[in-house]
Amino acid sequence: MKFGTKIIHNGHEVEPHTKALGVPICQVSTFQQESVDHFGKYDYARSANPTREALEETIALLENGAHGFAFASGMAAISSVLLLFSPGDHLVVCEDVYGGTFRVITTLFSRLGIEASFVDTTNPDAIRNAIRPNTRGLYLETPSNPLLKITDLAGAAAIARQHGILTMVDNTFMTPYLQRPLELGCDIVLHSGTKFLNGHSDVICGFAVVRDPGLAARIRFIQNSFGAILGPQDSWLVLRGLKTLKVRMEESQRGAGAVADWLCRQERIQEVFYPGLETHPGFHIHHRQASGPGAVLSFTVSTVELTRKLLEELSLAAFAVSLGGVESIISYPAKMSHAAMPHSEREARGITDTLVRLSVGLEDPEDLIADLDRVLNG
Ligand SMILES: *Cc1c(COP(=O)(O)O)cnc(C)c1O
């Protein structure tokens, strides 16, 4: 079955008892047990809830994994997975990782004795050189946030495997429609489902997906013990949002391509970062491991004044944190997603005060371009 069909026929398209064409919202915390000796499949909804379970099975199916876990946010998914590590363990992390991930690693997990080195994972030697005897995890984002840098997932996972290291990939920007890291040898896929997976800017949620049953059992234990689960209402909303994932990604990606091409021709735009551009240094690697460049791009503007004007005066892109909604969202990494990163670290990573990130929604690209033209060149 191809991806578009799988999204709709995900195993939960008909509810077996009522034949309803949808998953019921099981808004309960507990389940009656029949016998003292044998508890049913469901006992307490932190451990398992049928609505959440339908969503977890769906994300596992789409990522071509075996086990999915839904969490209360992307950060809850990421933090829960990082609880796999112990004091004394070391992580190698891609250097322009999501700001919240940088924050949780450098302020919370560091306190728990888990060390991290942030390296340019687009260079396989940088990964090799950062590995220590106590390295247990390799944490990747590709395309990265916000500079859309490309890491070779199969290559990085092979290096990690040689050293017995787990590879984790935050696949938020691509979604399984465009990129499936488990098929490339990575061990754990992470998501902020808040973005493209739900797609409607109305739920905060996160996912982890794996193939290995032992790893799944450890994550299930953490999910149940730590308890950062997704509730049934939100699980249902994400199941609904997911049904249109393919058409939303296709259409947003088409718009992003048109906007990126236009931006490249503008005098007041300095650099455009988008893996759909042949000039992007990661173009070939990206197109080997993903089926499209996605709908997020970033660019630098000639002056800080014009950057601010663009952020505040566009009428068709909301100036907001987040991405992956049906509406275009323009954001300012320096003060938003990467505000948690010290200024010097940020500048060193190229996240400057004239860098803008644009997540292209479902508006007609011609209208978006006219809006950008009005503010940039007006
Ligand atoms: C938004 C985001 C996160 C965090 O997810 P939340 O749902 O906001 O907790 C993690 N990684 C990436 C790439 C993101 O864009």
Side-chain angles (χ1 to χ4, degrees), residues 94-100 141-150 173 271-275 280 296-300 322-323 331-339 341 345-347 349-359:
C94 89
E95 65 179 358
D96 56 343
V97 70
Y98 175 73
E141 265 178 48
T142 180
S144 66
N145 183 14
L147 290 169
L148 290 300
K149 287 194 200 164
I150 305 301
F173 275 33
E271 245 187 306
V272 181
F273 305 94
Y274 183 58
H280 188 293
V296 180
L297 55 107
S298 60
F299 52 92
T300 49
S322 201
L323 57 101
S331 65
Y332 195 30
K335 296 219 174 201
M336 291 175 156
S337 58
H338 290 69
M341 198 175 271
E345 297 261 8
R346 234 191 322 109
E347 290 277 333
R349 286 167 166 77
I351 306 167
T352 62
D353 292 340
T354 58
L355 181 75
V356 168
R357 187 185 75 195
L358 180 64
S359 165

Side-chain angles (χ1 to χ4, degrees), residues 73-75 78 98 141 170 172-173 192 194-195 204-205 323:
S73 66
M75 286 318 304
I78 291 164
Y98 175 73
E141 265 178 48
D170 181 335
T172 300
F173 275 33
S192 169
T194 310
K195 315 295 167 57
I204 299 276
C205 73
L323 57 101

